[in-house]
Amino acid sequence: MSSEAPTIANKDEKATEVATGPTDEEKAESYKNLGNEHMKKKEYTKAIECYTEALKYNPHNAVYYANRSLAHLRQESFGYALSDGIAAVKEDPMYLKGYYRRAAAHMSLGKFKQALSDFEYVAKVRPNDENAKVKFTECKKIVKRQAFERAIAVDKPDKTLSEMFSDLEFIAIEDDYNGPKLEDGKVTLTFMKELMQHYKAQKKLHKKFAYKILCDIDTYLRKQPSLVDITVPAEAKFTICGDIHGQFYDLMNIFEINGLPSETNPYLFNGDFVDRGSFSVECIFTLFGFKLLYPNHFFMSRGNHESINMNQMYGFTGEVTAKYTSTMADMFTQVFNWLPLCHCINNKILIMHGGLFSTDNVTLDDLRKIERNRQPPEEGLMCELLWSDPQEAIGRGPSKRGVGIQFGPDVTKRFCEKNNLEYVVRSHEVKDAGYEVTHNGQCITVFSAPNYCDTMGNNGAFINIKGNDLKPNFTSFEAVSHPDVKPMAYASSIMSLLG
């Protein structure tokens, strides 16, 4: 009997250890606290992982859903953020931060009426809460403004900007203006070199020339198809860049590393030229200038940020209005509607900003037939070209952004086989190296805004190919310094609601 006693005692000790170990609730809180520390360091992916672990131990805690919703918002995964905001409200209808998170996700998706409903509820429950009152008032202004814009919108003849603003040619140039000037109303290489130096010195292009460039680019883009075919000769180099997002000084660094655009050094910029970065005006006029100078050797695809909702939310509209006028902001809206949606190089590489489609039967001819002169719809081919993202899993899934879809390697393979393509190139997502190759080499992401929003610490990248083999060669680069103007400097009135 005595020989069995230690065994019994050991069992009791182990039982005591189990009984006094951390509970599931305590484990959940520990993960939540760790997630909060990652949020402070802006390590959003790690924060999401921690909140997800917390929810495994306590799946009905509204705080964990709300915290994870905020982390998803910071990563622009608005669909996931909305799901977590909805879950937070469901788990605890009295937890007001859940309503804030749901409202922020709705606003990020351009659904201001739904956001207003949440802000209104919080303001009623807490009538003395100044923060709630401000958010409700600001959101209400946006909804009213949108209603007013819809009310005054009438069908107009499809006039070009040149026809609508024919009197702009009579704008006087002040005697003290010493910046670049168009030559006989045309963009020249000399003008472009002077413009870039002018912008580096933080000076502004005269409005007369800015308006003229917009009018000319509008006239040109109207004649382009929705899918532009590009031929790259056998030994010629061709460069593909991703998102620039208003980071003008990093754009200049690309040209420093890879050479200025020319007929022997062609470029394609794959959408999201503006927003977030506070030098978007400088970026877009530089890109439009090169497009006018080298129309057959410089290409631009529309991104999801070349749209009214995104521009109003993320700064471009505010920047254009501050540096020029609200009229010019409206002119940009018309021009962006005419940007091509995708490009195809040598019939073998399809390049679009977002990604692929919710069905398998899409052909290049279908893309050529898209009527693009409009704001991006919430579904369909145009939406998916601008918004979709790849995923590791096979098949398709709901978009983390709440718009478009996520598509797997099997989807990419079938699309390439059906259209006799080697691979697709897209942008739309921050990558640590500035690029990523997935889907067995058939889906390449390129992102050209290093240290995105001055916070992400990522490299930017661009792709060089040659016409004879179309093999992608990647160049990564770090961010360069820029004047002390913070990202989102022109977007505070709306973005302040998303905290």
Side-chain angles (χ1 to χ4, degrees), residues 25-40 47 50-51 54 63-64 67:
E25 287 78 7
E26 289 170 336
K27 292 176 183 176
E29 276 295 293
S30 178
Y31 276 113
K32 181 208 75 173
N33 292 335
L34 185 57
N36 291 349
E37 290 301 313
H38 286 307
M39 285 294 290
K40 290 176 184 177
C50 289
Y51 297 137
V63 175
Y64 304 162
N67 287 8

Side-chain angles (χ1 to χ4, degrees), residues 421-483:
L421 298 169
E422 292 187 12
Y423 58 91
V424 299
V425 176
R426 40 90 61 184
S427 300
H428 198 37
E429 289 183 288
V430 181
K431 299 298 176 184
D432 287 343
Y435 70 93
E436 184 177 62
V437 181
T438 57
H439 294 186
N440 303 308
Q442 289 190 298
C443 182
I444 297 173
T445 298
V446 59
F447 190 87
S448 303
N451 195 24
Y452 180 46
C453 291
D454 287 357
T455 60
M456 299 300 288
N458 61 291
N459 279 355
F462 54 81
I463 303 171
N464 289 137
I465 61 170
K466 285 195 172 182
N468 52 3
D469 64 3
L470 302 180
K471 177 184 176 182
N473 295 289
F474 304 98
T475 299
S476 290
F477 56 93
E478 296 180 350
V480 297
S481 61
H482 63 74

Side-chain angles (χ1 to χ4, degrees), residues 258-273:
N258 195 58
L260 284 179
S262 70
E263 292 181 351
T264 57
N265 193 28
Y267 279 82
L268 189 158
F269 282 83
N270 197 27
D272 282 13
F273 322 113

Side-chain angles (χ1 to χ4, degrees), residues 37-97:
E37 290 301 313
H38 286 307
M39 285 294 290
K40 290 176 184 177
K41 298 175 183 176
K42 300 181 179 180
E43 298 170 345
Y44 303 124
T45 298
K46 292 179 179 178
I48 290 167
E49 291 171 355
C50 289
Y51 297 137
T52 301
E53 286 298 313
L55 284 163
K56 289 179 181 177
Y57 289 104
N58 188 353
H60 300 292
N61 190 302
V63 175
Y64 304 162
Y65 282 112
N67 287 8
R68 192 170 68 177
S69 178
L70 181 59
H72 282 310
L73 278 169
R74 295 291 183 259
Q75 287 197 322
E76 301 183 31
S77 298
F78 304 134
Y80 290 170
L82 179 57
S83 295
D84 278 345
I86 291 170
V89 172
K90 180 181 178 182
E91 294 297 341
D92 186 356
M94 300 305 295
Y95 181 56
L96 296 184
K97 193 166 285 187

